[in-house]
Amino acid sequence: MNAILTHLPFVIAVTVAIAGLAVVLWRRNLIHVLMGMSLVESAVNLFLVALGYRHDAVAPIYTGLRDGGEGVRMVLPTVQALTLTAIVIGLATTAMMLSLVIVIHRHYGTTDVRDVRRLRE
Amino acid sequence: MNLSCCCSTHSPALAVALPLLGAMLVMLIPAERRPQLRGIVFFLAAALGAFAAISAAGWALALGSCDYVFGAGPAFGLPEGALGRGAAGAVPIRIVFHIDAAGALMLLIAAVTSTAAALYALRSEEGTTALPAFQPLYLLLVAGVYGMVATGDAFNFFVFLEITSLAGAALAACRIDRGLAAEAGLKYAAISSLGGLSYLAGVGLLLARHDLLNIAALSQAIQGGGPSATDYAALGLMALPLAMKAGTVPMHQWTPDTYSRAPHPVSAFLLISSQASLFGLFRVAFTLFGAPVVSTTSLGAFLAVLAALSMFVGVTMAIPQHDVKRLISHHAVSQTGYMLLGASVALAVLGDAEKTAAFGRDALAGSLFHMMNYAIYNGLLFLAAGAVVWRTGKRNLDDMGGLGRAMPVTMLCFGIGALAIAGIPPMSGFASKWVLYESVFRYSPLLAIVAMVVSLLTLASFVKVFQAMFLGPARKHLAEVKEVPLAMAFPMLLLALATIAIGLFPDVVMQRLLLPAADALLK
């Protein structure tokens, strides 16, 4: 039981990533494709946070500890910092790609990936 | 020489900070009321950033390598192990820039090309609707590229990778162009973003296994402890997206779309952004994982096949093109193949010290040499072709002709670039291709022959382009065309001069820059 619980976050992360990739590859609406990419991004973030988790540990905030924090275990703060950065970057990427989809829709009148192929000609 | 001597100059940090600061400043200046002030701030930020990058590269070359630790002045000293060579048990947690001879080479390439393209952009982008967005984004892209090649931290590399991806995609899209540029930008953004996430997952795996993010410390841990399954998974997750972002077959489809729709100076500098990804691939393969991991995989042979395919597919796709910028973009894929070829040969023989000394080192140096030359002559080709498009308003080769009389300087510059890309002596492209032929031949004669055939096809393609653009009878609708202004001609002439100079003195460049750079990667 314990082994399953330990590995569960990683299993979920991989599942979400595969689901996101499937959406990216097989959905035809550009908005859906971007949603798939957000899923992949969340999966990677979940993976990172799960790496630093310990079952019996507290959040890595020093000021809230009683008795100077003797004997208290904390979860790894590095991955949380990485994830925060990755979330910010992901937000910027998603916002920019959505704005590009809006521009494409304005000029092409569609968000279907089969019709957004004018560069090939 | 102690460390503090190098750090006291702060030039590695300034190379990133000045363009970033410039990007913010430029945005504060109103584009319509103060276009000149905006242009001056824009160019100054690019030039000062380039100056800092060159001085950091100079330090690194003089001292062998240059480390810069963020958040710690010399007075505080370095935390033990901050640079990966301290006592056991110390935790290397600070973000460091680590510039060795290879990083210095990339900084030099980026500095020269970014300044030339920025100077060109002062006139070519003047008065366009894209200008307000163009200037800050260009500076962001420059800062991102400097950061990518200078950083000594695996996660920090991801941050700079994403900065270049975002800025590059936005720049490719900033002309809109009836939606076409937006389509190109979206494609680039989507591919970069997925690639970046894959790289991040690889970094996560390494962090989980070794509890480190510093590249030097990580490489000690990986190469010292014997490879594990986690290391192999991380290698795949990190190396493949970087190969994709460099524009190699079979993940090259974004390259012609993005390069051809971007504003002309951006096309010239996007090459460097792709090269920074290729350099990241070298860093991951040579420095981070190195012989113990790579030599037990077939990564080298696999990349050599990709390289040969890139060379061939790129040039065969280029030949039938009519849009001049799209044509050059397809050649960019082909040239990326050359750059990957030498490095993949070096990777393939990495575990074998004898073969590495015999030809692996030369092959890697040849790759780096070609990267340097390509950045200059392909940038030159984009700028010269851009100059023609800018003056004529035509992109299609069928609508051009006889422009040599009206635009002699542009014709000269384009001609020099075309000779260099086709590998004709005494241009720089010949020197680097020759090093590659010689060294690759000793690994696999077939690959060397592919490289030579592709070179011939490249020549054929550029003879056609040159003829279509500049020779032949004058066209009626092009009667009003004039030479480009000095601000655009000067950067082109500068790059053309560099192409010839490198071609005339390849030995100096090889001894001073390229062999140290190859040794730094192989170390």
Side-chain angles (χ1 to χ4, degrees), chain B residues 138-448:
Chain B
Y138 183 85
L139 291 173
L140 271 183
L141 183 66
V142 172
V145 168
Y146 288 151
M148 271 173 84
V149 298
T151 190
D153 185 280
F155 181 74
N156 200 228
F157 182 87
F158 165 76
V159 174
F160 283 117
L161 180 72
E162 291 295 299
I163 292 177
T164 53
S165 299
L166 272 172
L171 276 171
C174 74
R175 279 204 169 158
I176 309 292
D177 210 0
R178 288 168 289 120
L180 289 173
E183 188 188 334
L186 182 66
K187 201 177 260 187
Y188 185 59
I191 282 181
S192 309
S193 161
L194 279 179
L197 288 172
S198 164
Y199 176 87
L200 182 60
V203 172
L205 278 180
L206 287 183
L207 180 69
R209 165 113 180 115
H210 301 287
D211 214 5
L212 292 166
L213 287 171
N214 182 299
I215 290 178
L218 260 178
S219 76
Q220 272 186 357
I222 293 170
Q223 299 179 24
S228 68
T230 320
D231 293 334
Y232 289 121
L235 175 63
L237 281 173
M238 292 164 91
L240 290 183
L242 290 173
M244 174 171 83
K245 275 217 71 190
T248 52
V249 170
M251 303 162 284
H252 64 288
Q253 287 91 347
W254 63 269
T255 329
D257 294 346
T258 309
Y259 287 172
S260 64
R261 287 294 153 187
H264 315 309
V266 173
S267 306
F269 195 68
L270 268 181
L271 302 174
I272 316 295
S273 146
S274 302
Q275 283 197 328
S277 294
L278 190 65
F279 179 73
L281 173 64
F282 294 175
R283 263 272 179 272
V284 166
F286 287 102
T287 311
L288 192 54
F289 290 96
V293 180
V294 170
S295 61
T296 52
T297 65
S298 43
L299 184 71
F302 174 69
L303 289 179
V305 172
L306 285 194
L309 279 175
S310 301
M311 289 191 292
F312 198 73
V313 171
V315 81
T316 45
M317 291 292 289
I319 288 173
Q321 297 297 327
H322 290 273
D323 179 328
V324 59
K325 280 189 72 181
R326 210 172 162 79
L327 184 142
I328 300 174
S329 312
H330 279 291
H331 278 294
V333 176
S334 170
Q335 298 299 309
T336 308
Y338 281 94
M339 295 181 264
L340 189 59
L341 181 66
S344 56
V345 166
L347 274 177
V349 299
L350 194 59
D352 188 333
E354 208 171 287
K355 282 185 180 165
T356 298
F359 59 88
R361 176 172 176 251
D362 287 344
L364 182 58
S367 258
L368 294 168
F369 198 5
H370 204 65
M371 281 172 89
M372 176 181 180
N373 297 338
Y374 160 88
I376 294 171
Y377 67 63
N378 222 358
L380 173 63
L381 284 172
F382 269 129
L383 293 186
V388 171
V389 176
W390 187 70
R391 272 299 193 208
T392 63
K394 309 279 181 211
R395 304 172 67 101
N396 195 318
L397 286 171
D398 303 338
D399 299 336
M400 299 176 187
L403 289 167
R405 274 171 293 261
M407 308 178 77
V409 179
T410 309
M411 178 173 77
L412 176 76
C413 293
F414 191 90
I416 290 172
L419 289 177
I421 198 173
I424 304 294
M427 303 302 168
S428 60
F430 169 75
S432 53
K433 279 184 179 176
W434 191 253
V435 178
L436 281 173
Y437 294 154
E438 276 189 336
S439 51
V440 172
F441 188 84
R442 298 190 55 188
Y443 173 68
S444 154
L446 182 68
L447 285 175

Side-chain angles (χ1 to χ4, degrees), chain A residues 30 37 40-41 44 47-48 51 78-79 82 85-86 89 92-93 96-97 100-101 103-104 107-108 116-120, chain B residues 155 162 166 169-170 173 176 178-180 182-186 189-190 193-194 197 200-201 204 207-208 257 261 326:
Chain A
L30 277 176
M37 298 188 59
V40 180
E41 186 201 314
V44 175
F47 169 65
L48 284 178
L51 285 177
T78 317
V79 283
L82 301 192
T85 316
I89 291 171
T93 317
M96 191 190 68
M97 289 197 291
L100 289 178
V101 171
V103 172
I104 288 174
H107 287 270
Y108 290 9
V116 184
R117 287 175 177 266
R118 300 198 184 169
L119 284 165
R120 293 277 164 114
Chain B
F155 181 74
E162 291 295 299
L166 272 172
I176 309 292
R178 288 168 289 120
L180 289 173
E183 188 188 334
L186 182 66
S193 161
L194 279 179
L197 288 172
L200 182 60
L207 180 69
D257 294 346
R261 287 294 153 187
R326 210 172 162 79

Side-chain angles (χ1 to χ4, degrees), chain B residues 49-134:
Chain B
F51 181 74
I54 289 172
S55 93
W59 272 109
L61 286 173
L63 298 176
S65 74
C66 170
D67 294 305
Y68 187 87
V69 183
F70 285 90
F76 295 101
L78 295 172
E80 193 102 33
L83 305 170
R85 47 180 127 85
V91 189
I93 49 168
R94 293 241 170 85
I95 291 178
V96 297
F97 272 13
H98 174 73
I99 305 169
D100 56 11
L105 173 72
M106 292 303 298
L107 278 178
L108 284 178
I109 296 173
V112 170
T113 321
S114 71
T115 319
L119 183 57
Y120 181 96
L122 284 182
R123 277 310 295 275
S124 78
E125 301 307 303
E126 201 178 29
T128 59
T129 51
L131 185 71
F134 169 85

